[in-house]
């Protein structure tokens, strides 16, 4: 006999102003034998998914299908989602971990504390045939990125995949962990001629709560001889198209949110061409990209909303994945979340502070070199890709950057600072939504935003020798046209200098059109 401790799922309090909440959207199983607890039903009811105008059916609620669920620990996720039950072959023989489950595991292991899980279906068999894979690929991509992605319904009921971000105001990061798998090539049988990857033996790691619980060694499943998904030229183009579509949606619809994704693995023998491939397909926006045609210097461009993680990481915890390799986006999200909680969203997640959470990393694919004065491919790639690489003190996040070609927006800290400011403005807009649009309201908004900026100034979020050098804030007739006034729009113009930037960044907030949960419910 023994004691079994079953984690109790509580109803997490809404936290719309947090900057560390990650949303994982993708394919993962549901543990069928466990009925939802009352606390989880209360959470879903409060969010409008049980009862109300856009309530889901009971079957979807019990299956957690298309229903965002907030979890605050790995234990709670593990209780409700069968993340480790992906079939190897059609027909259900053999099991491995899902990529969404691996991403959530890495998130909590690297410092994450709160996640939103959106299950869109069960994962396909890892080794399904090429014809079956081709047929299901389009349908599965549409489950993540629907055809009407850029023109979603104001009614949440028909939302699919990433469109649910419109009703998740607390989410600050979104991840689609299945994209490389969906776009890559999958072998029909295990590649037994591949060398077995060398994974370091499990070693003692200082216990720090739920973070290390996720990093426990997974059962050995002989998956290291099965190749992870790799992309050929059509696969790279498909991945780039999907990523750009998601990036555009986030930039237009959720400017207070960031998109995190992993750079896929290339075919064997082509790993050295990753940088050229990314530039060729246009994921890293160049200065002549159409998206930047009308962008002014200092104004946030679409690339500032996206962070790419590279390479794929190897550790004992990933022995339940093909090749014992996990995409790095879950680890990046955990490091970013942990830094935001400890130091603030505007701080860089790169450097020594990240190292305690990467002690279990034993290697990577491809292997990366660092510290040669910018000569290695990893160091060259780090200008626009978040690179994890070994250092004398162990593995660490070496670059915390966005894909933006503009130097001012390349620092992810600057982008997250503006996202945090957008969240504060959204919160303010909800408070003043029904106030008369006039000088009294303009003065109130200016005063409240100035107070907020003063607080951030005191903790080092801005550069400059004085607040006058750090930012310039205007909300008066000079920021609004007569048409804005006639339509009831309140426009605030802010110019500021983040601590990590040598340029002045410009942002314009339209408080009357800021997305709010209340507005979404009224529209429904």
């Amino acid at each position: 006999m023994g004691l079994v401790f079953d984690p109790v799922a509580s109803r997490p309090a809404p936290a719309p102003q947090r900057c560390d909440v990650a949303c994982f959207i993708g394919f993962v199983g549901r543990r069928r034998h466990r009925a939802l607890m009352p606390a989880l039903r209360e959470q879903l009811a409060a969010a409008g998914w049980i009862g109300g105008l856009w309530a889901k059916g009971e079957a979807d609620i019990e299956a957690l299908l298309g229903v965002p669920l907030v979890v605050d620990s790995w234990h709670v996720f593990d209780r409700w989602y069968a993340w480790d039950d992906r079939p190897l072959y059609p027909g259900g023989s053999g099991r491995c971990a899902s990529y969404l489950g691996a991403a959530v595991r890495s998130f909590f292991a690297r410092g994450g504390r709160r996640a939103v899980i959106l299950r869109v279906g069960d994962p396909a068999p890892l080794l399904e045939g090429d014809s079956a894979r081709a047929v299901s690929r389009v349908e599965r991509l549409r489950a993540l990125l629907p055809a009407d992605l850029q023109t979603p319904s104001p009614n949440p009921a028909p939302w699919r995949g990433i469109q649910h971000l419109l009703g998740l105001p607390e989410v600050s990061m979104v991840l689609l962990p299945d994209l490389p798998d969906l776009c890559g090539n999958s072998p029909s049988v295990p590649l037994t001629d591949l060398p077995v990857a060398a994974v370091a033996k499990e070693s003692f790691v200082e216990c720090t709560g739920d973070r290390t619980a996720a990093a426990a060694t997974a059962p050995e499943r002989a998956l290291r001889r099965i190749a992870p998904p790799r992309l050929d030229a059509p696969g790279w183009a498909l991945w780039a198209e999907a990523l750009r579509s998601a990036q555009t949606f986030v930039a237009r619809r959720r400017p207070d949110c960031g998109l995190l994704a992993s750079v896929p693995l290339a075919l064997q023998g082509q790993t050295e061409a990753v940088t050229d491939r990314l530039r060729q397909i246009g994921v890293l926006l160049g200065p002549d990209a159409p998206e930047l045609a009308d962008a002014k210097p200092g104004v946030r461009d679409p690339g500032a909303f996206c962070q790419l993680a590279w390479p794929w990481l190897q550790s004992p915890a990933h022995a339940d994945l093909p090749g014992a390799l996990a995409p790095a986006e879950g680890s990046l999200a955990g490091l970013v979340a942990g830094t935001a909680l400890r130091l603030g969203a505007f701080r860089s997640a790169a450097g020594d502070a990240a190292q305690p959470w990467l002690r279990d990393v034993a290697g990577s694919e491809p292997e990366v070199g660092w510290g040669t004065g910018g000569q290695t491919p990893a160091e060259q790639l780090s200008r626009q890709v978040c690179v994890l690489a070994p250092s004398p003190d162990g593995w660490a996040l070496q670059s915390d950057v966005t894909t933006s070609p503009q130097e001012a927006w390349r620092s992810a800290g600057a982008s997250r600072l503006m996202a945090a400011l957008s969240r504060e403005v959204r919160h303010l807009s909800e408070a003043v939504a029904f106030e008369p649009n006039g000088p009294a309201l303009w003065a109130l908004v200016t005063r409240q935003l100035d107070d907020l900026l003063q607080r951030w100034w005191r903790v080092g979020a801005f550069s400059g020798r004085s607040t006058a050098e750090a930012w310039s804030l205007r909300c008066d007739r000079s920021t609004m046209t007569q048409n804005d006034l006639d339509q009831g729009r309140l426009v605030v113009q802010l110019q500021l200098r983040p601590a990590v930037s040598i340029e002045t960044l410009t942002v314009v907030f339209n408080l009357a059109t800021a997305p709010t949960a209340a507005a979404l419910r009224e529209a429904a």
Side-chain angles (χ1 to χ4, degrees):
M1 296 181 63
L3 294 177
V4 177
F5 294 92
D6 201 10
V8 176
S10 60
R11 175 182 168 185
Q17 291 173 275
R18 288 180 62 163
C19 297
D20 66 297
V21 182
C23 180
F24 297 83
I25 304 175
F27 299 92
V28 64
R30 162 81 162 92
R31 298 210 188 278
R32 308 292 181 183
H33 62 284
R34 291 179 174 169
L36 287 183
M37 299 172 64
L40 295 184
R41 287 187 166 273
E42 290 176 9
Q43 178 194 145
L44 297 176
W49 302 110
I50 297 179
L53 296 176
W54 59 84
K56 294 283 187 178
E58 181 59 25
D60 288 342
I61 293 296
E62 275 298 326
L64 294 175
L65 185 62
V67 178
L69 186 68
V70 180
V71 298
D72 54 11
S73 72
W74 167 254
H75 298 297
V76 175
F77 174 81
D78 178 52
R79 176 180 174 85
W80 304 109
Y81 294 94
W83 60 274
D84 53 352
D85 198 31
R86 181 183 185 181
L88 289 180
Y89 297 93
S93 60
R95 290 291 184 269
C96 66
S98 64
Y99 281 107
L100 184 143
V104 175
R105 177 173 60 188
S106 295
F107 173 74
F108 283 113
R110 311 303 185 201
R113 276 290 181 253
R114 189 182 183 99
V116 179
I117 313 299
L118 180 66
R119 174 177 177 261
V120 299
D122 291 328
L126 177 67
L127 301 173
E128 66 178 342
D130 291 339
S131 58
R133 186 178 183 84
V135 170
S136 66
R137 175 179 290 166
V138 174
E139 179 182 352
R140 291 181 176 275
L141 283 173
R142 289 304 182 201
L144 300 174
L145 305 166
D148 62 342
L149 176 60
Q150 308 302 338
T151 56
S153 167
N155 179 5
W159 287 347
R160 300 185 69 195
I162 199 172
Q163 288 177 333
H164 285 82
L165 284 181
L166 297 178
L168 299 171
E170 69 175 334
V171 168
S172 56
M173 298 176 280
V174 60
L175 297 85
L176 306 172
D178 297 292
L179 277 186
D181 185 35
L182 292 177
C183 300
N185 296 328
S186 178
S188 57
V189 294
L191 302 180
T192 56
D193 57 333
L194 290 177
V196 176
V199 179
K201 294 182 179 180
E202 182 179 7
S203 59
F204 174 78
V205 177
E206 181 181 356
C207 180
T208 54
D210 291 340
R211 299 175 184 175
T212 54
T217 302
E220 182 64 45
R221 300 193 181 195
L223 287 168
R224 282 176 282 161
R225 292 189 181 274
I226 300 178
R230 302 181 185 276
L231 273 60
D232 54 14
W236 275 94
L238 182 62
W239 174 79
E241 179 184 359
L243 191 67
R244 183 181 294 276
S245 180
Q247 175 183 286
T248 302
F249 176 82
V250 170
R252 291 178 178 176
R253 299 286 181 169
R254 281 297 307 273
D256 60 341
C257 188
L259 173 67
L260 275 60
S262 292
V263 177
L265 293 174
L267 294 177
Q268 290 284 2
Q270 298 183 6
T271 55
E272 70 280 356
V274 168
T275 304
D276 293 337
R277 178 70 72 180
L278 288 172
R279 295 188 183 280
Q280 176 186 347
I281 61 181
V283 173
L284 303 184
L285 299 177
D288 299 323
E291 289 85 346
L292 299 179
D294 300 325
K296 299 178 181 179
V299 176
R300 197 177 187 193
D301 68 81
F305 295 87
C306 183
Q307 288 188 267
L308 297 180
W310 186 81
W312 287 37
L313 302 179
Q314 191 178 89
S315 84
H318 305 326
D320 52 5
L321 291 170
L325 291 166
E329 63 196 298
S331 293
L332 176 61
L335 294 172
V336 168
T339 300
L341 289 170
R342 298 192 311 272
L343 305 174
F346 59 90
R347 301 289 187 187
S348 173
D352 293 340
Q355 289 180 8
W357 313 120
L358 296 170
R359 291 175 181 169
D360 64 311
V361 177
S364 67
E365 185 174 331
E367 294 184 358
V368 296
W370 196 263
T372 62
Q375 301 302 313
T376 67
E379 290 170 313
Q380 296 174 14
L381 196 65
S382 66
R383 285 181 56 80
Q384 289 177 281
V385 173
C386 300
V387 175
L388 293 98
S391 67
D393 296 323
W395 280 77
L397 178 65
Q398 304 290 357
S399 58
D400 183 16
V401 294
T402 71
T403 61
S404 174
Q406 298 187 34
E407 193 68 32
W409 288 110
R410 194 162 296 162
S411 168
S415 185
R416 289 194 293 268
L417 174 63
M418 299 308 296
L421 185 57
S422 296
R423 303 174 79 80
E424 295 287 352
V425 170
R426 183 186 64 199
H427 180 70
L428 175 60
S429 70
E430 293 177 345
V432 302
F434 299 103
E435 297 293 330
N437 191 5
L441 179 59
W442 305 341
L444 173 64
V445 169
T446 301
R447 183 169 61 255
Q448 292 186 349
L449 286 178
D450 190 72
D451 290 343
L452 170 66
L453 296 173
Q454 290 276 0
R455 294 197 300 271
W456 285 356
W457 160 265
R458 287 192 288 270
V459 296
F462 305 120
S463 61
R465 291 169 295 181
S466 65
T467 57
E469 292 183 359
W471 70 82
S472 172
L473 177 64
R474 284 192 299 142
C475 179
D476 51 36
R477 286 190 177 273
S478 68
T479 65
M480 289 168 274
T481 66
Q482 187 58 47
N483 183 59
D484 290 329
L485 296 174
D486 293 340
Q487 298 297 321
R489 287 191 289 264
L490 175 59
V491 181
V492 180
Q493 181 171 312
L494 172 64
Q495 292 182 315
L496 54 80
R497 295 178 61 188
V500 293
S501 177
I502 60 174
E503 298 184 33
T504 298
L505 306 182
T506 302
V507 62
V508 177
F509 296 111
N510 188 332
L511 270 68
T513 59
T516 67
L520 291 172
R521 288 182 171 85
E522 291 176 2

